[in-house]
Amino acid sequence: MAGAATQVSVESAPRIMRLVAECSRSRARAGELRLPHGTVATPVFMPVGTQATMKGITTEQLDALGCRICLGNTYHLGLRPGPELIQKANGLHGFMNWPHNLLTDSGGFQMVSLVSLSEVTEEGVRFRSPYDGNETLLSPEKSVQIQNALGSDIIMQLDDVVSSTVTGPRVEEAMYRSIRWLDRCIAAHQRPDKQNLFAIIQGGLDADLRATCLEEMTKRDVPGFAIGGLSGGESKAQFWRMVALSTSRLPKDKPRYLMGVGYATDLVVCVALGCDMFDCVFPTRTARFGSALVPTGNLQLRKKVFEKDFGPIDPECTCPTCQNHSRAFLHALLHSDNTAALHHLTVHNIAYQLQLMSAVRTSIVEKRFPDFVRDFMGTMYGDPTLCPTWATDALASVGITLG
Amino acid sequence: MKLSLTKVVNGCRLGKIKNLGKTRDHTMDIPGCLLYTKTGSAPHLTHHTLRNIHGVPAMVQLTLSSLAEHHEVLTEYKEGVGKFIGMPESLLYCSLHDPVSPCPAGYVTNKSASVWGVSGRVEMTVSKFMAIQQALQPDWFQCLSDGEVSCKEATSIKRARKSVDRSLLFLDSCLRLQEESEVLQKSVIIGVIEGGDVMEERLRSARETAKRPVGGFLLDGFQGNPTTLETRLRLLSSVTAELPEDKPRLISGISRPDEVLECIERGVDLFESFFPYQVTERGCALTFSFDYQPNPEETLLQQNGTQEEIKCVDDMKKIETTGCNQEITSFEINLKEKKYQEDFNPLVRGCSCYCCKNHTRAYIHHLLVTNELLAGVLLMMHNFEHYFGFFHSIREALKSDKLAQLKELIHRQAS
């Protein structure tokens, strides 16, 4: 399997991804995902709305920003309000009144984030609920069952997730178990015609384990693949190598979803490495701490330096926050107890991420992605050569040189 | 600006205030209410979500307590608070205090009064107060006044007298300073009627304030709990009788639907809309009916609903929410209650607000249980729209001489 990337996957499952353009230098691709609730242009950033809400913004606001796919979380929704209620409400789409696409995570990540409340066995993950102390077993079957009730357009397999800082036999165990759990998820999936089940490549930071996982999982007929187990505490140098390894072994005609990414630089680099889909809580979370994302990094608007700054967050941004409000006003509002301040920033940060992805896509379609990357790094770091080493190395590995 | 009355029915004034604002082309209906804000923004709402609401009043209430600490910034900004907060087209009224947060007593002197913001107390002499108003450039502003007499339970005659004397002194000083300020020529000073619960002082305040060239009157110190209002309502009639007919009468601290009607009957024109905000903060939604001409089928459905809800509210729970230690009223339902978990109806059937058109009680319940920010956003949108709809119905009822029916309907629901 070493060397040439797999061109076409096994089986004849319908392809949900249509490639529109490919960068002739790097592995960047522009495409279209055809999903039950509409088309999604890729590369795409998917904001995270964990508990059936995109924090303080309405679905109308989210739609107006151009978002066509966002995330919900099986673990949280499985506990509150529970799959039965959501099914009665016409699925997660009906419950939260979101007309576009939804992707639900399986609950696997919570194994890492809530590690003190969880225990993993071959059967599944046993969680102790932080709300009422009750124990729940989240098995591959149960996870798929909940996600079937939620009705999301893309559902994720339950994977055995270990923190990227863990080494030793646990990593190998988790990788093989994830393959077994993938098969159990495929078998349990009741609605393959309405919901697309993605596999999640594991293997930690071990190239051999990753390669094995890739080889095995790509034999399964799934509509898409996620690259999991990264975006934790690992070094960026290890991170990008695992991403690059994964994209080199994943089929070209299926979407590649890099989970938990993130920061603007990471998004641009990982698009170059061949990823199509991304999710991260960072932009929406950082908004609620008063931080606005801009092409040069971020503005901590609570700081005194913005007290009399009467310009918008970003003069180039077309979001309603930047159209209607100044940094000075947002600064004042952030120091009050009016939650509107947080919503203004949430709107802007989502707009920032979506506008970034849109610009990336256009540059790929217009065959100038490498130049875009250089401009982006120049703006973000002052000079393309001041870009972090890991990013420079990663880009070089796919033929993009900076400066 | 010009106030024209269409009619006066049982003490209720129906009319319009025209030629409002700096461009003199805005109009306001009375009786009416002002949009409640915190630090220049409707609570929980951005430009987009505020725009979703139907019937938003033409005039916005800003509070000096939330803005005084930004004096320096606004002075440097130069273009006025309306533009600063992103509401350049709205009429702006600046009150001293936030009706929701009580102010500590003991801080008014012969030379100054204080407001409380996030960073603490801001003390203002008349000149500082007017300097701040110069930076804000509101269309109307409440004059610096001594309203502390309402913070205490019992009013001594001496203290009541002092509140009137001081407020008149402040008023005269502010009027003088306004004459000298070019910027403030376009702003209107609202004279404040004080005097606590002492009839003699209230009448003196009304008569004396009415002699000054103010643009309108603020009836201060009538707020309190429902029992104190009853006694104060008697005072209120006497006070408004002393005021000129062609100037608007605002009242502070009164926002509940039943109390609003009582005050309208006693000659009050404009109210603050903080009640829907308080309802929102306790996770509740306004559901009271103001449809005084329903069709028989609707009446039956409403009655069944109302009876059920009154039963639940019988043991009035005290909900501790941010700054609102208020009890749940019978004008609202508590979405945190388990019975709404699977209720897929809108908050109010027939309501055309964004929340009712797009979401269910079950969803709001979920948002409240999971502590999600969107709960406040959606409830605020519904509660404001419902409340503004209520004021619209008051004006319609007055127009068609049906206020008695509306009053009866509201009182039936006030339990």
Side-chain angles (χ1 to χ4, degrees):
Chain A
M1 280 312 282
T6 320
Q7 293 303 310
V8 173
S9 305
V10 293
E11 304 302 333
S12 55
R15 297 291 181 264
I16 61 171
M17 173 104 164
R18 182 176 84 91
L19 286 178
V20 166
E22 290 178 77
C23 176
S24 55
R25 285 209 138 257
S26 68
R27 300 183 193 170
R29 310 112 65 76
E32 269 172 17
L33 281 175
R34 259 158 306 144
L35 295 168
H37 283 82
T39 307
V40 176
T42 64
V44 63
F45 176 78
M46 306 178 285
V48 181
T50 309
Q51 299 193 104
T53 158
M54 189 54 62
K55 298 306 161 184
I57 69 170
T58 63
T59 49
E60 188 188 81
Q61 286 176 288
L62 193 55
D63 166 274
L65 288 171
C67 178
R68 294 294 175 262
I69 181 168
C70 64
L71 259 70
N73 197 287
T74 300
Y75 172 79
H76 295 84
L77 295 170
L79 288 174
R80 301 185 302 187
E84 297 84 10
L85 181 77
I86 292 187
Q87 201 155 29
K88 284 185 196 165
N90 287 323
L92 188 53
H93 288 88
F95 187 59
M96 61 185 285
N97 196 24
W98 173 242
H100 305 302
N101 297 292
L102 285 166
L103 184 153
T104 45
D105 185 18
S106 59
F109 179 68
Q110 277 66 46
M111 284 153 58
V112 175
S113 60
L114 301 172
V115 70
S116 58
L117 297 170
S118 66
E119 191 205 338
V120 185
T121 63
E122 186 61 27
E123 211 188 352
V125 191
R126 201 168 292 279
F127 285 105
R128 205 169 12 92
S129 166
Y131 310 119
D132 54 15
N134 282 347
E135 271 203 6
T136 42
L137 173 70
L138 191 64
S139 62
E141 291 76 16
K142 183 89 175 115
S143 176
V144 169
Q145 187 188 45
I146 297 173
Q147 292 183 82
N148 281 157
L150 298 177
S152 34
D153 304 89
I154 298 176
I155 69 176
M156 305 305 296
Q157 70 155 111
L158 183 68
D159 48 345
D160 185 357
V161 190
V162 292
S163 162
S164 50
T165 52
V166 168
T167 52
R170 177 75 183 102
V171 183
E172 183 171 348
E173 177 194 53
M175 184 273 286
Y176 280 111
R177 180 171 292 144
S178 294
I179 299 171
R180 293 192 293 276
W181 281 5
L182 171 59
D183 289 336
R184 283 168 62 181
C185 284
I186 292 171
H189 188 19
Q190 297 286 306
R191 311 175 74 219
D193 52 329
K194 290 254 161 58
Q195 300 179 271
N196 297 286
L197 172 64
F198 278 24
I200 306 179
I201 310 292
Q202 294 292 344
L205 303 172
D206 185 314
D208 292 328
L209 291 177
R210 280 262 163 201
T212 306
C213 197
L214 282 155
E215 184 172 340
E216 283 307 311
M217 286 193 172
T218 50
K219 290 178 186 165
R220 276 72 173 167
D221 178 26
V222 286
F225 295 92
I227 302 164
L230 299 173
S231 205
E234 76 277 1
S235 76
K236 277 298 207 290
Q238 295 167 302
F239 161 76
W240 80 258
R241 285 181 170 82
M242 289 299 104
V243 175
L245 170 63
S246 304
T247 55
S248 70
R249 309 278 173 103
L250 286 171
K252 279 191 132 192
D253 59 346
K254 290 183 176 177
R256 296 92 171 262
Y257 165 26
L258 181 56
M259 305 183 83
V261 171
Y263 301 114
T265 300
D266 301 9
L267 291 170
V268 173
V269 171
C270 292
V271 167
L273 295 180
C275 298
D276 308 305
M277 301 163 65
F278 306 88
D279 84 281
C280 192
V281 295
F282 169 69
T284 38
R285 181 173 292 168
T286 208
R288 299 195 299 284
F289 290 107
S291 174
L293 300 176
V294 290
T296 49
N298 69 79
L299 308 175
Q300 304 279 3
L301 289 173
R302 293 180 59 100
K303 293 214 161 122
K304 201 160 163 69
V305 68
F306 297 108
E307 195 187 33
K308 296 178 186 171
D309 189 340
F310 301 125
I313 292 172
D314 180 359
E316 306 292 310
C317 179
T318 55
C319 85
T321 304
C322 291
Q323 295 297 298
N324 290 293
H325 299 295
S326 65
R327 298 169 176 193
F329 173 63
L330 294 168
H331 170 88
L333 202 58
L334 280 165
H335 284 281
S336 77
D337 61 349
N338 193 335
T339 68
L342 312 178
H343 310 324
H344 285 303
L345 292 190
T346 301
V347 164
H348 169 77
N349 284 0
I350 292 177
Y352 171 79
Q353 300 281 107
L354 298 183
Q355 281 167 160
L356 174 62
M357 286 289 104
S358 180
V360 163
R361 185 178 199 271
T362 304
S363 75
I364 298 170
V365 169
E366 293 179 357
K367 303 198 187 311
R368 49 178 181 79
F369 177 66
D371 281 333
F372 175 88
V373 176
R374 280 184 276 270
D375 283 339
F376 172 85
M377 295 301 173
T379 307
M380 184 64 80
Y381 299 102
D383 190 88
T385 55
L386 296 174
C387 173
T389 313
W390 76 268
T392 309
D393 293 343
L395 291 165
S397 80
V398 288
I400 298 181
T401 48
L402 301 173
Chain B
M1 81 174 171
K2 181 166 154 51
L3 189 154
S4 357
L5 291 172
T6 314
K7 67 205 278 197
V8 181
V9 165
N10 284 341
C12 308
R13 296 146 51 90
L14 175 70
K16 285 193 193 302
I17 310 176
K18 300 185 184 139
N19 309 330
L20 284 162
K22 311 228 166 57
T23 46
R24 307 240 180 280
D25 57 4
H26 282 73
T27 305
M28 262 207 304
D29 290 316
I30 60 165
C33 64
L34 313 178
L35 176 71
Y36 173 69
T37 65
K38 288 159 70 73
T39 312
S41 164
H44 305 298
L45 305 180
T46 64
H47 197 254
H48 186 135
T49 43
L50 178 62
R51 234 182 26 205
N52 280 131
I53 302 176
H54 304 106
V56 177
M59 188 173 271
V60 172
Q61 174 190 8
L62 303 172
T63 59
L64 203 58
S65 49
S66 65
L67 295 172
E69 59 203 283
H70 304 292
H71 176 198
E72 235 185 78
V73 178
L74 287 159
T75 305
E76 202 168 308
Y77 183 67
K78 291 190 180 60
E79 297 178 75
V81 72
K83 196 152 176 243
F84 183 72
I85 63 177
M87 297 198 198
E89 307 299 312
S90 299
L91 293 167
L92 303 170
Y93 163 67
C94 185
S95 66
L96 271 181
H97 302 291
D98 186 328
V100 170
S101 333
C103 54
Y107 288 95
V108 189
T109 70
N110 289 337
K111 292 232 180 307
S112 70
S114 297
V115 292
W116 275 262
V118 200
S119 352
R121 184 165 81 101
V122 179
E123 186 174 3
M124 296 173 295
T125 55
V126 165
S127 48
K128 180 164 180 184
F129 171 78
M130 290 303 275
I132 296 176
Q133 297 296 350
Q134 281 223 122
L136 292 173
Q137 297 154 42
D139 295 291
W140 293 1
F141 62 94
Q142 171 186 354
C143 191
L144 194 68
S145 55
D146 179 359
E148 265 185 18
V149 78
S150 64
C151 299
K152 301 198 193 79
E153 284 305 322
T155 314
S156 71
I157 298 182
K158 209 169 152 187
R159 184 64 183 89
R161 186 171 302 146
K162 208 169 200 167
S163 75
V164 177
D165 289 337
R166 273 184 185 153
S167 301
L168 286 168
L169 204 73
F170 288 154
L171 177 56
D172 288 335
S173 308
C174 287
L175 284 166
R176 259 197 308 276
L177 284 175
Q178 185 188 32
E179 273 176 48
E180 297 164 18
S181 160
E182 205 193 305
V183 171
L184 284 176
Q185 290 311 306
K186 297 206 177 140
S187 301
V188 166
I189 295 187
I190 303 293
V192 189
I193 313 296
E194 296 290 351
D197 295 330
V198 180
M199 177 67 87
E200 202 182 297
E201 289 305 315
R202 279 285 180 188
L203 292 177
R204 184 168 72 94
S205 182
R207 288 174 193 144
E208 286 301 315
T209 309
K211 288 180 187 165
R212 274 73 170 169
V214 293
F217 303 92
L218 175 68
L219 302 150
D220 193 20
F222 288 92
Q223 61 267 47
N225 55 59
T227 43
T228 53
L229 181 64
E230 222 180 287
T231 28
R232 287 169 180 171
L233 284 176
R234 284 180 234 132
L235 272 175
L236 189 56
S237 305
S238 312
V239 169
T240 55
E242 301 290 331
L243 299 175
E245 284 191 351
D246 64 344
K247 289 183 179 176
R249 300 93 173 263
L250 298 84
I251 194 163
S252 58
I254 305 278
S255 192
R256 275 175 54 124
D258 48 347
E259 296 176 358
V260 162
L261 286 176
E262 302 275 18
C263 291
I264 290 175
E265 285 180 314
R266 288 160 181 80
V268 179
D269 303 322
L270 292 165
F271 298 82
E272 299 163 321
S273 61
F274 61 89
F275 179 65
Y277 168 67
Q278 291 173 314
V279 172
T280 301
E281 293 309 280
R282 47 182 180 251
C284 295
L286 289 175
T287 52
F288 70 95
S289 171
F290 43 82
D291 187 2
Y292 54 90
Q293 302 193 115
N295 59 61
E297 195 187 301
E298 262 306 312
T299 317
L300 201 63
L301 289 164
Q302 293 272 23
Q303 271 170 2
N304 290 341
T306 316
Q307 269 158 19
E308 222 186 273
E309 271 138 23
I310 286 177
K311 243 184 282 165
C312 293
V313 173
D314 262 342
D315 11 64
M316 296 243 228
K317 282 166 269 179
K318 208 172 168 103
I319 298 274
E320 300 264 341
T321 52
T322 38
C324 304
N325 285 335
Q326 303 265 327
E327 295 175 359
I328 298 182
T329 68
S330 46
F331 299 113
E332 58 204 82
I333 54 173
N334 180 3
L335 269 308
K336 288 197 188 114
E337 286 179 31
K338 215 157 159 43
K339 66 179 190 172
Y340 296 115
Q341 198 178 53
E342 294 203 17
D343 188 340
F344 295 115
N345 292 303
L347 292 175
V348 171
R349 192 180 42 242
C351 175
S352 53
C353 84
Y354 176 86
C355 182
C356 289
K357 290 215 108 78
N358 288 287
H359 295 293
T360 61
R361 293 170 169 194
Y363 184 61
I364 307 292
H365 173 88
H366 163 74
L367 294 176
L368 286 164
V369 161
T370 53
N371 255 306
E372 285 284 347
L373 289 167
L374 191 62
V377 176
L378 294 176
L379 283 175
M380 191 75 263
M381 287 168 74
H382 169 80
N383 289 336
F384 265 148
E385 184 149 338
H386 194 90
Y387 194 72
F388 301 150
F390 166 59
F391 270 88
H392 177 80
S393 78
I394 298 175
R395 294 188 290 268
E396 291 300 302
L398 282 171
K399 236 181 260 179
S400 49
D401 285 309
K402 294 256 164 66
L403 190 72
Q405 279 94 315
L406 178 58
K407 193 174 167 188
E408 201 261 332
L409 174 63
I410 296 298
H411 271 275
R412 229 191 307 141
Q413 297 172 93
S415 83

